[in-house]
Amino acid sequence: MMKFRFKRQGNDTQREKAKQDVFAFNKQTVEHGFPSQPSALAYDPILRLMAIGTKSGAVKIYGSPGVEFGGRHVPGGAVTQMHFLLGQGRLLCLLDKNTLHLWEISPGDKGSSLDKTLSITLPGRPGVEGVRASRVTTLLPTRRCDLLCMGTEGGAVRTLALPSLAALEARMLLQDQVLQRRVSGVPDEYKCGRSLGPVESLQEHPRYPGKILIGYSRGLVVLWDLNTWQLDALFLGNQSLESLSWERSGRNFVSSHSNGSYVLWAVGGSRCPPVCRPMSCTRPYGPSPCKAISKILWRTSESGIPLVLFSGGMSRASYGDRHCLTVTQGDTQVALDFTSRIIDFFTVHHTEDGDRFDDPTALVVLLEEELIAFDLQTTGWPVIPSPYLASLHSSAITCSYHVSNVPRELWQRVAAAGRLQSPSQTAAKWPISGGNSFASAPKQKDLLLTGHEDGTVRFWDASGMSLTPLYKLSTASVFQTDGDHSNSSAQEEEWPPFRKVGLFDPYSDDPRLGVQKISLCKYSGRLVLAGTAGQVLVMCLNEEWSDHVISSSVIDLLQDRKGFTWKGHDQLDPKAGRIRFMPGFQPVVLVQCIPPASITTVALHAEWNLVAFGTSHGFGLFDYHFRCPVLARCTLHPMDTIAMEGPLSRIKSLKKSLHQSFRRIRKSRLCGQSRLLVQGLAGKESSKQLGEQGDSRDADVAPVQRRIEARSAEDSLSGVVRCLCFADTYLRDAAQHGPTLWAGTNAGCVFAYALKVPLRSGSWGGAVEAILSKEIQLTHRAPVVGVAVLDGQGNPLPEPYQASWDLATSLDVQASHSVLIASEEQIKVFSLPKITMKAKLKLTANEGCRIRKVALVSLAGSHALLCLTNLGDVQAFSVPGLRPQGRENCIHREDVSGMASCVFTKTGQGFYLISPSEFERFSLSKCQVSSSLCSVEVQRNSQTAVPSTPPWRSGTPSASSTGGPPSLGGQDGVRISPGFSCGDIVMDTTGDLTVEDVKDFLASVDEMENNLRNRSTNDWHSAGILINGTVWNVL
Amino acid sequence: MNRSFIKSQSLRYLDCNAVEVKSKYGAEFRRFSVDRQKPGKFDEFYKLILHIHRIANMEVMIGYADVHGDLLPINNDDNFCKAVTSAHPLLRIFIQRQEEVDYSNFGTNTMTRRKKAVVTLRNDVNRKRPQIRIGMPQDFRPVSSIIDVDILPESHRRVRLYRHGSDRPLGFYIRDGTSVRVTPHGLEKVPGIFISRMVPGGLAESTGLLAVNDEVLEVNGIEVTGKTLDQVTDMMIANSHNLIVTVKPVNQRNNVVRSSRSSGQSTDSSGSAGYPAPPPGSLGAHGLAGDELESDEESDIVIESSIKRPSRRSNASATSRSQALQPAPATASPSTPKRPPSLISTASFHSQPSLNGVPHASPSFRLHRDHGSSPAFRESNGSLHKILNAMRIDPRHSLALPPGGVEEDGTVITL
């Protein structure tokens, strides 16, 4: 936990102390959502923990809800395989850089944590010619957790001691050993060419530890006994192999192949060693050519009918593009049809030796975009709702909104609506149940609302440390869209028996439906959603089904502005007539802006029944009680043509393309050599601010240059309304407060309207009136990003209904209100109603950073203004004095989308998207920290502790005295010992050598030999990467 | 010629205190004399001229040719007195109608050139060469100055650019680069920010104080080392109303030499070189500009709308607003073209020939724009952009805004 580095502001120690009590920065407390680009999956049936690795090198471990650990490989690299050392709380990760990492769940006083204990670099990096052969293709830790077998590209199986990761180089099974020692067993066709192909699969015998099934890519499968170092059986497959899976008894196993078939084999026979032929061969989706079955599992059940699960194998021509996993049990067969690629899957089943059958309870499938679990004990195999790893991005997130401290009543109503929406189809509990979470129940209920591109809004329970879905609201039903197609699944044939599963659906029917802004009144349950096509929906929470007509209005924000034509998208057509709505939030009023530009800001005042909204053209005020417009105001500058023409302007693009082509010509004249455009990326954001001209220029010409020009009123998009706020304050005189509306634009202009809101309860029910009272033009003309009214103490005014709900926060009636106006460059506090400046902070002029987001938050009772800048810093300032309180780097400078997605909570936390599917939560408040508090009880006996020195260090490096291939084994034999006589190996390997085989052998152990040469000539410590890696990481 | 010579000689003989005056108005000549010692007041002389030439109901501009052959104006007592005392042998007066006065004809070498052009008057001359308009002195404002010369190293230069809310672009670009610093460990390459390009006709170019490849060291007193190009860009833009950049000029030859400080006014930190005291008449405008110079405070503008007529509904409120504001644009827009044609003059340290930089087309452009937007005004909801724009362009107009649309006390609050 890092403390703020405070700026010296006098020597007010008390103040400093107060600051330290209040502020504390936690860069990363928890991550919510689904890890981006998962690449590996592992499951420990003993500890009941699941691990997910990603392409960026992140490792996450999940147990029962609330049990989460995370780690990250530094430097990154894609995790290609992960394996738990069963029951030990240790996790092995293989990265695509051919490095092997051992992670350990270690207990701590604040719960368990995940730490990396060992890293080694395996010899041979991919891509380097000649050492490709030693690239690891598959890993197998034995069940006893004493040995790690690694299958390699070259076809050899190497072994490492666990958990020390020390190489046991004598115990390396080369293909030659398999082929040569029992010449009679292997038919000649397997010996042709150089090898059997890479090791494709390694599986340990379920009954006899130490016997492993080795599957080679070309189809040969061998059962090898590691204890006796002997071949037990040969299985003569002739299709290229994809995966192997044992049956529980060990009498059978199944192999899957690249032609879409799977083969059942029986183990055991009379010959010694037995050479087996397949028992049965099935091509489930044949006879037309099929894609490979990439993974297969065979699970026995009490009913006697085994459950076969495999991924892929679909008919290549018809369904080759589907991501399918087939589950078969007898006659029941379902092809689970997913929306994204299958990474891996496992079943949760009985593993104790006493159990006679597997009896799988659940199937867990990791897809590229989501994790889905199926209940295998309920007929129909329904989906088990996941308590974590929510697929936030089922449709792209367009906005997010956080509500702190939600009243119990609203919470229950939303949760009830959510339960009604997705009735649970299964009683099964979440199958992954390891570890204990001892995080206390959240003190308050927090909601996170995410708006999506497809017009949905999802309500998430953000109170605890995992983000769980509560309720989903769709607005698409209000509009006529092209996507109103009949259910196409009806037309689909019976075979294959597809069943669509999964929430992830990146294809939006109509991008205009996208939800851009959300506002929720937590006391009244009024919700406002505003979208891409200028639509504003006001919704009410209703427990009943409803069948009603939505009141629809159109507001022309251009007013009578002439000479402008909107060339963007059309407005959405609302459905006519009655629409049936489910219990939950139901739309009541629809307001559509003309031109239908995207809504840029929205404000709701439920007490006054008013909603205000802004676009790039102006802003409007609507009374949803009387369903009539109150105000429409155009904010366009007369010279601003880009805003008028909309995002799809032809003129703009023509101009831009002309610019670019001219520039290209000039560039080619100026410099002949090609240059990278990478430089332009860093500053893309700011050049966007400088207008189109600067943008196109900067993107193309190297070196990057920036135009220094003052902002002018003619800058494009100056009319964009950036913020709106309602306040009950003193706008016109100091004696009388009243309702006001504030609007800030991109051109640095703030409009303040005095509102006349008639009392609803009173006899006079006149209409709402808005009168422009003040216009403030900030001379620096930077976009206004926030406006807030503060009371006499400098605290933000209470929300609507807050005063009546919560008596502690009554409206401060002292007439010394002030208004805080934050632009991208400066923050100013003005007194009301005189608009005289009380405090000012010039951020950009002094530090060169611009404000992206502002929020007034409460930190341990005192209020502060949090600013997120374009450098990714979060800065805190006191209000209303605007003194810097702290500053911390939070989001990476280049992470523009992360900054754009950042939301602050009222209590000083924040969320931002670290990937399209993951929120990261951070905290600036000392008393508000969400972090995972959980433990996993791990029993490791002392023998399995990671040794401080590798066992072979005691041996003498006598190997240098010998040389040549025959003695290689012997040399290695010196350095490991237990249970093996090196003589055996030397004899065996040398016995039946032919000249050809020696050549092969030399090629495959080329790398090793090189290592040995190094060892003999150089310092002992630099002998092998393996050695160094081990020693260093232990120390 | 000969005759006149004799005549003038004889006159001088007769009365050496008298100065012969040859006054020309159009094609007419008049000859008379004034007292060299006591030439009298300009007003009297002016009346005399009008009387002699029988000019009535017309403002004229009086000019004379001085000993060097330059055409200089006579418009006050001082220069009248100077004209009379320096006349040798006779005082040649040229009279022009006020509205036809072409100031470009005044100044150095004007008469000599005119002689060559065989007394062709203003128009012919104008046709042949691009016209340079120089504003009247009261319209002069500083556009740049070199400041803090006494505290900076000689190799550095701190330049202040004054925008005065004009719509002239600052006009330069910056880029990343590497500069070489002398450190205890020897020469070291460090990243730096450099000026990469000048916009022709821009403020930066016209001052002559900044040049391409100058290294930017500070922006408004804040060092730029360790800051990214984007940060420096943002800082400069945020300070653009009063930008002070400290540069290390790539050309070190024009540096200020310390010892010569007494001789050159250029080192004055106020940048008063070439910045004459404003005539009393224009104090208003300069008062405001002066404020801007003294403090780097920008003044946000708060406009209070008169809330005399409460409105109903959106349309109603819109109309009331536009009514309330109607007078303001009505006066603001026409006043724009009346502005002296050359609003911006360069009075920089180098006094470069950058006068060319004042675009000749700028007045007409502005006119065009005003016309273009005024219909929108009349019909529309009274956007204040126009007024604000006008204010920004020339602060004087903000004072000229009549009460009504904008309340007098709340018009412009300097915050």
Side-chain angles (χ1 to χ4, degrees):
Chain A
M1 190 185 296
M2 291 167 71
K3 290 276 158 54
F4 269 130
R5 295 184 299 274
F6 294 109
K7 280 187 180 172
R8 282 272 155 222
Q9 289 248 330
N11 42 10
D12 191 346
T13 51
Q14 204 169 0
R15 192 184 164 79
E16 291 286 309
K17 194 175 171 296
K19 278 196 226 165
Q20 286 181 3
D21 289 344
V22 168
F23 294 102
F25 183 74
N26 278 284
K27 184 170 167 60
Q28 180 200 335
T29 55
V30 275
E31 287 172 5
H32 300 302
F34 187 77
S36 177
Q37 294 187 302
S39 55
L41 177 71
Y43 179 64
D44 183 343
I46 296 173
L47 293 178
R48 304 176 86 74
L49 293 175
M50 172 181 71
I52 293 177
T54 72
K55 280 189 183 158
S56 57
V59 177
K60 298 190 169 206
I61 294 185
Y62 298 89
S64 59
V67 178
E68 282 185 36
F69 306 101
R72 188 170 285 276
H73 291 100
V74 179
V79 180
T80 54
Q81 288 195 45
M82 296 174 103
H83 294 274
F84 276 104
L85 306 188
L86 299 185
Q88 292 194 352
R90 293 198 175 111
L91 180 72
L92 272 173
C93 297
L94 176 71
L95 264 60
D96 61 348
K97 298 184 295 186
N98 228 22
T99 55
L100 197 59
H101 305 265
L102 183 68
W103 294 78
E104 235 176 54
I105 298 170
S106 45
D109 46 337
K110 294 184 83 183
S112 305
S113 59
L114 184 67
D115 304 302
K116 193 159 79 175
T117 53
L118 282 179
S119 295
I120 59 165
T121 303
L122 299 167
R125 289 164 186 278
V128 183
E129 212 54 49
V131 295
R132 234 185 114 76
S134 56
R135 193 179 72 88
V136 175
T137 52
T138 181
L139 292 179
L140 173 72
T142 57
R143 267 203 307 287
R144 284 192 200 149
C145 299
D146 54 350
L147 216 57
L148 174 70
C149 303
M150 303 187 296
T152 62
E153 188 103 19
V157 177
R158 300 159 149 268
T159 49
L160 298 180
L162 281 177
S164 64
L165 298 183
L168 305 173
E169 298 198 359
R171 302 184 69 177
M172 181 156 111
L173 178 65
L174 302 168
Q175 283 185 2
D176 310 271
Q177 289 173 280
V178 174
L179 293 174
Q180 300 302 322
R181 283 173 47 175
R182 309 279 180 227
V183 183
S184 57
V186 183
D188 278 346
E189 65 255 36
Y190 290 97
K191 289 193 201 167
C192 66
R194 235 192 73 190
S195 69
L196 300 170
V199 176
E200 212 48 66
S201 184
L202 290 171
Q203 298 294 333
E204 192 179 16
H205 195 286
R207 294 280 161 196
Y208 306 108
K211 287 191 179 187
I212 55 168
L213 203 58
I214 304 166
Y216 294 100
S217 174
R218 294 212 184 145
L220 185 74
V221 180
V222 298
L223 184 62
W224 189 266
D225 193 332
L226 290 173
N227 300 317
T228 61
W229 208 250
Q230 276 186 343
L231 183 72
D232 267 17
L234 272 173
F235 305 91
L236 306 176
N238 52 10
Q239 283 293 332
S240 79
L241 185 86
E242 291 286 324
S243 80
L244 294 172
S245 173
W246 279 104
E247 199 235 295
R248 185 184 186 83
S249 63
R251 286 194 290 271
N252 298 309
F253 71 90
V254 65
S255 63
S256 75
H257 301 275
S258 63
N259 66 345
S261 64
Y262 63 88
V263 177
L264 191 64
W265 305 82
V267 183
S270 51
R271 287 179 61 189
C272 186
V275 176
C276 304
R277 302 273 167 194
M279 267 171 72
S280 71
C281 179
T282 318
R283 190 124 68 103
Y285 297 107
S288 57
C290 290
K291 296 198 89 170
I293 292 179
S294 54
K295 179 174 179 178
I296 189 160
L297 294 177
W298 186 281
R299 299 287 178 240
T300 58
S301 71
E302 209 163 351
S303 63
I305 308 163
L307 203 67
V308 182
L309 308 100
F310 60 88
S311 58
M314 280 290 152
S315 161
R316 190 175 288 275
S318 322
Y319 307 106
D321 55 341
R322 303 246 183 152
H323 310 291
C324 287
L325 191 149
T326 307
V327 187
T328 321
Q329 188 175 27
D331 295 336
T332 322
Q333 181 167 356
V334 168
L336 301 167
D337 185 4
F338 299 107
T339 52
S340 56
R341 200 163 59 84
I342 298 166
I343 304 296
D344 202 354
F345 60 97
F346 63 86
T347 58
V348 178
H349 57 272
H350 299 285
T351 49
E352 287 83 54
D353 291 339
D355 299 316
R356 285 181 56 222
F357 300 103
D358 287 324
D359 271 335
T361 52
L363 161 69
V364 179
V365 187
L366 176 69
L367 302 160
E368 201 157 34
E369 305 290 353
E370 57 194 321
L371 180 92
I372 305 177
F374 298 87
D375 177 6
L376 294 180
Q377 291 191 313
T378 311
T379 43
W381 299 322
V383 173
I384 307 170
S386 166
Y388 39 66
L389 288 166
S391 185
L392 293 169
H393 63 315
S394 51
S395 170
I397 294 176
T398 43
C399 66
S400 33
Y401 182 77
H402 188 271
V403 191
S404 306
N405 206 0
V406 177
R408 179 178 296 274
E409 191 212 341
L410 178 74
W411 186 269
Q412 285 169 348
R413 290 171 75 189
V414 172
R419 279 194 299 274
L420 203 67
Q421 219 169 26
S422 52
S424 166
Q425 294 172 315
T426 168
K429 284 189 168 171
W430 185 245
I432 299 156
S433 54
N436 305 303
S437 169
F438 47 86
S440 52
K443 279 171 274 177
Q444 57 178 44
K445 293 289 189 185
D446 290 351
L447 265 181
L448 182 73
L449 280 68
T450 52
H452 298 264
E453 202 186 14
D454 61 354
T456 56
V457 173
R458 277 151 217 264
F459 290 63
W460 306 92
D461 177 357
S463 356
M465 66 144 271
S466 64
L467 208 58
T468 47
L470 269 186
Y471 173 66
K472 180 187 162 186
L473 171 64
S474 175
T475 61
S477 60
V478 179
F479 304 101
Q480 295 172 353
T481 56
D482 307 333
D484 285 339
H485 46 72
S486 59
N487 214 347
S488 57
S489 61
Q491 302 153 5
E492 219 150 47
E493 303 113 59
E494 297 281 300
W495 188 261
F498 285 123
R499 174 178 149 201
K500 287 205 183 297
V501 214
L503 296 168
F504 179 71
D505 176 17
Y507 306 107
S508 171
D509 291 336
D510 191 338
R512 293 177 297 168
L513 292 170
V515 176
Q516 295 295 334
K517 293 288 159 190
I518 302 172
S519 184
L520 173 70
C521 172
K522 64 184 180 184
Y523 299 104
S524 64
R526 291 274 188 284
L527 174 69
V528 172
L529 304 181
T532 308
Q535 75 271 30
V536 180
L537 276 166
V538 183
M539 304 202 158
C540 291
L541 197 50
N542 186 358
E543 269 78 22
E544 306 294 325
W545 283 86
S546 176
D547 195 14
H548 62 262
V549 179
I550 296 170
S551 143
S552 173
S553 321
V554 170
I555 284 195
D556 183 7
L557 292 181
L558 284 185
Q559 307 250 286
D560 301 322
R561 208 57 81 86
K562 289 270 161 51
F564 294 126
T565 44
W566 169 254
K567 292 177 183 167
H569 49 237
D570 293 336
Q571 73 180 90
L572 285 163
D573 297 320
K575 274 185 189 159
R578 292 172 171 274
I579 307 170
R580 191 163 165 76
F581 294 104
M582 276 194 68
F585 284 98
Q586 296 173 347
V588 182
V589 170
L590 167 67
V591 184
Q592 289 181 288
C593 299
I594 298 289
S598 176
I599 301 283
T600 51
T601 174
V602 76
L604 167 72
H605 202 293
E607 215 169 340
W608 303 334
N609 292 312
L610 291 175
V611 58
F613 41 86
T615 72
S616 47
H617 302 92
F619 57 93
L621 181 64
F622 193 85
D623 177 352
Y624 61 77
H625 184 76
F626 284 109
R627 301 182 180 181
C628 56
V630 178
L631 165 75
R633 168 76 198 239
C634 184
T635 52
L636 281 180
H637 189 270
M639 301 303 283
D640 185 0
T641 49
I642 291 169
M644 277 318 304
E645 286 161 358
L648 305 170
S649 159
R650 188 173 295 169
I651 291 175
K652 183 187 167 193
S653 59
L654 178 68
K655 202 162 76 182
K656 195 167 189 173
S657 71
L658 274 176
H659 257 297
Q660 279 166 349
S661 49
F662 275 125
R663 206 150 308 289
R664 223 167 287 132
I665 293 166
R666 193 161 70 186
K667 195 175 113 191
S668 62
R669 278 196 203 127
L670 283 174
C671 49
Q673 79 265 37
S674 64
R675 284 184 196 259
L676 287 173
L677 297 179
V678 185
Q679 282 168 295
L681 291 173
K684 219 175 185 176
E685 239 258 314
S686 86
S687 65
K688 214 183 288 166
Q689 303 282 325
L690 300 177
E692 193 200 343
Q693 219 177 2
D695 188 35
S696 59
R697 175 174 297 123
D698 293 341
D700 279 24
V701 178
V704 183
Q705 50 178 354
R706 297 267 178 268
R707 193 162 70 125
I708 306 300
E709 213 47 81
R711 294 167 195 276
S712 79
E714 288 90 359
D715 277 351
S716 65
L717 299 177
S718 62
V720 178
V721 181
R722 292 290 292 269
C723 54
L724 286 162
C725 100
F726 287 106
D728 187 357
T729 188
Y730 304 87
L731 181 61
R732 290 159 71 174
D733 55 65
Q736 219 177 351
H737 64 93
T740 57
L741 170 68
W742 300 75
T745 74
N746 242 8
C749 192
V750 177
F751 302 93
Y753 283 80
L755 305 179
K756 209 159 146 191
V757 181
L759 288 168
R760 298 296 183 209
S761 52
S763 52
W764 185 67
V768 178
E769 289 172 20
I771 301 127
L772 180 64
S773 178
K774 286 189 172 66
E775 252 186 85
I776 302 167
Q777 174 63 55
L778 302 174
T779 313
H780 61 283
R781 288 189 175 273
V784 178
V785 291
V787 176
V789 177
L790 309 171
D791 70 8
Q793 268 90 53
N795 299 326
L797 293 183
E799 291 170 54
Y801 284 124
Q802 189 182 353
S804 55
W805 275 67
D806 188 359
L807 293 174
T809 57
S810 55
L811 178 63
D812 179 33
V813 287
Q814 287 178 342
S816 54
H817 284 193
S818 48
V819 59
L820 182 148
I821 298 177
S823 77
E824 279 190 0
E825 293 184 351
Q826 303 185 358
I827 305 165
K828 288 179 172 178
V829 176
F830 301 100
S831 70
L832 284 172
K834 278 279 177 212
I835 314 282
T836 46
M837 194 167 66
K838 284 163 77 180
K840 178 171 87 163
L841 186 100
K842 294 168 104 177
L843 205 58
T844 311
N846 292 321
E847 296 179 32
C849 56
R850 278 202 308 268
I851 300 173
R852 284 274 167 269
K853 304 261 174 176
V854 287
L856 278 167
V857 301
S858 151
L859 298 171
S862 69
H863 283 91
L865 181 78
L866 296 188
C867 297
L868 174 74
T869 69
N870 65 337
L871 303 180
D873 295 342
V874 174
Q875 305 202 16
F877 302 101
S878 66
V879 281
L882 299 182
R883 295 212 178 155
Q885 305 278 56
R887 164 193 194 147
E888 209 55 59
N889 200 296
C890 182
I891 305 178
H892 197 257
R893 185 178 282 213
E894 267 87 47
D895 187 3
V896 177
S897 63
M899 288 177 213
S901 63
C902 181
V903 282
F904 290 109
T905 76
K906 288 256 165 18
T907 51
Q909 296 195 44
F911 294 84
Y912 69 93
L913 287 172
I914 47 173
S915 74
S917 57
E918 277 171 296
F919 272 115
E920 179 144 310
R921 192 192 277 220
F922 60 90
S923 175
L924 289 142
S925 167
K926 202 164 191 178
C927 49
Q928 280 280 334
V929 179
S930 310
S931 60
S932 85
L933 281 173
C934 54
S935 72
V936 172
E937 280 178 34
V938 177
Q939 289 179 334
R940 297 183 197 120
N941 52 31
S942 54
Q943 287 178 343
T944 61
V946 176
S948 56
T949 48
W952 43 260
R953 290 290 306 263
S954 52
T956 44
S958 61
S960 52
S961 59
T962 55
S967 58
L968 270 176
Q971 181 190 21
D972 288 328
V974 173
R975 300 184 33 240
I976 34 124
S977 39
F980 284 97
S981 101
C982 15
D984 277 355
I985 300 167
V986 174
M987 229 161 52
D988 277 358
T989 44
T990 48
D992 309 316
L993 276 181
T994 62
V995 178
E996 264 179 82
D997 288 320
V998 171
K999 279 180 186 165
D1000 278 357
F1001 184 79
L1002 278 172
S1004 66
V1005 295
D1006 200 21
E1007 166 72 8
M1008 192 171 68
E1009 196 187 354
N1010 281 340
N1011 270 351
L1012 290 169
R1013 288 216 182 107
N1014 286 339
R1015 214 170 287 173
S1016 53
T1017 53
N1018 297 343
D1019 182 14
W1020 172 250
H1021 285 275
S1022 64
I1025 313 160
L1026 293 172
I1027 302 162
N1028 273 340
T1030 314
V1031 174
W1032 273 107
N1033 280 285
V1034 171
L1035 295 176
Chain B
M1 193 68 180
N2 199 14
R3 196 175 56 125
S4 73
F5 175 65
I6 294 162
K7 192 174 181 186
S8 61
Q9 268 214 332
S10 65
L11 269 170
R12 251 192 301 170
Y13 257 119
L14 284 175
D15 186 359
C16 52
N17 277 341
V19 174
E20 186 185 351
V21 180
K22 180 181 173 187
S23 170
K24 186 174 176 233
Y25 172 61
E28 289 180 41
F29 289 93
R30 297 284 188 278
R31 285 172 183 272
F32 56 96
S33 66
V34 291
D35 192 314
R36 187 185 293 269
Q37 259 70 46
K38 282 178 273 179
K41 297 277 183 204
F42 167 69
D43 286 346
E44 296 164 11
F45 179 72
Y46 186 74
K47 281 176 189 145
L48 178 68
I49 293 282
L50 294 185
H51 175 74
I52 287 173
H53 284 281
R54 297 173 200 276
I55 301 170
N57 303 325
M58 202 166 65
E59 294 284 295
V60 295
M61 182 75 197
I62 302 169
Y64 75 102
D66 80 340
V67 284
H68 308 295
D70 296 341
L71 178 64
L72 297 174
I74 300 177
N75 47 15
N76 56 31
D77 291 347
D78 290 342
N79 52 21
F80 172 57
C81 184
K82 178 75 180 168
V84 172
T85 49
S86 66
H88 180 77
L90 87 163
L91 178 62
R92 303 202 300 168
I93 295 283
F94 299 91
I95 299 165
Q96 287 171 286
R97 285 161 67 166
Q98 188 79 55
E99 51 267 38
E100 288 171 1
V101 170
D102 185 356
Y103 291 99
S104 66
N105 288 347
F106 289 97
T108 314
N109 289 334
T110 42
M111 285 312 283
T112 32
R113 236 181 291 125
R114 186 200 284 254
K115 270 177 185 162
K116 278 174 198 158
V118 196
V119 204
T120 44
L121 270 174
R122 55 199 177 270
N123 291 334
D124 300 356
V125 180
N126 293 344
R127 264 182 230 126
K128 275 169 194 160
R129 62 192 177 91
Q131 186 176 8
I132 301 172
R133 291 180 171 271
I134 301 175
M136 294 305 281
Q138 63 264 29
D139 291 327
F140 284 11
R141 283 186 299 198
V143 293
S144 63
S145 54
I146 294 187
I147 57 175
D148 295 338
V149 179
D150 42 349
I151 57 172
L152 283 176
E154 281 180 25
S155 59
H156 295 178
R157 181 188 296 163
R158 187 166 290 168
V159 179
R160 183 173 191 167
L161 298 175
Y162 305 86
R163 267 187 79 246
H164 297 295
S166 79
D167 54 358
R168 190 170 185 199
L170 281 171
F172 65 100
Y173 289 71
I174 56 172
R175 63 165 169 89
D176 278 319
T178 40
S179 75
V180 179
R181 295 271 157 79
V182 184
T183 63
H185 319 292
L187 292 180
E188 208 172 75
K189 276 189 177 177
V190 288
I193 304 287
F194 294 84
I195 294 176
S196 63
R197 197 159 86 85
M198 291 285 187
V199 176
L203 186 58
E205 189 209 52
S206 71
T207 63
L209 301 181
L210 299 173
V212 172
N213 293 334
D214 284 359
E215 185 184 359
V216 178
L217 303 170
E218 286 175 9
V219 176
N220 287 54
I222 296 154
E223 283 192 34
V224 304
T225 41
K227 293 205 158 47
T228 63
L229 183 63
D230 289 328
Q231 272 178 287
V232 178
T233 308
D234 288 340
M235 284 166 67
M236 285 190 171
I237 291 173
N239 287 306
S240 60
H241 62 100
N242 177 34
L243 184 61
I244 301 167
V245 277
T246 309
V247 292
K248 189 179 174 194
V250 67
N251 181 356
Q252 292 282 336
R253 275 175 299 179
N254 293 333
N255 286 343
V256 175
V257 183
R258 284 270 161 76
S259 54
S260 71
R261 193 194 298 178
S262 53
S263 64
Q265 326 121 296
S266 54
T267 53
D268 277 345
S269 65
S270 69
S272 60
Y275 179 36
S282 57
L283 249 182
H286 283 272
L288 205 124
D291 281 348
E292 256 178 37
L293 299 185
E294 275 1 290
S295 69
D296 67 338
E297 287 299 319
E298 331 109 77
S299 48
D300 297 328
I301 301 161
V302 178
I303 293 166
E304 307 246 359
S305 297
S306 56
I307 325 172
K308 303 290 182 269
R309 263 187 50 189
S311 59
R312 297 177 60 86
R313 294 280 142 269
S314 58
N315 285 340
S317 70
T319 43
S320 85
R321 210 165 42 242
S322 61
Q323 274 174 2
L325 294 168
Q326 203 62 278
T331 47
S333 321
S335 68
T336 322
K338 262 199 225 161
R339 203 183 310 140
S342 59
L343 188 74
I344 310 134
S345 329
T346 306
S348 70
F349 163 56
H350 278 247
S351 74
Q352 284 216 335
S354 52
L355 292 167
N356 297 323
V358 182
H360 184 51
S362 71
S364 63
F365 167 69
R366 268 188 219 113
L367 267 171
H368 169 73
R369 197 180 54 195
D370 289 340
H371 283 305
S373 58
S374 57
F377 249 124
R378 231 166 280 131
E379 302 153 358
S380 82
N381 20 27
S383 157
L384 281 165
H385 279 301
K386 196 65 240 167
I387 314 169
L388 294 172
N389 201 24
M391 284 176 176
R392 200 174 52 83
I393 288 168
D394 189 345
R396 273 170 295 178
H397 291 296
S398 62
L399 298 178
L401 277 175
V406 177
E407 278 177 16
E408 188 67 79
D409 55 344
T411 315
V412 177
I413 303 174
T414 306
L415 300 166

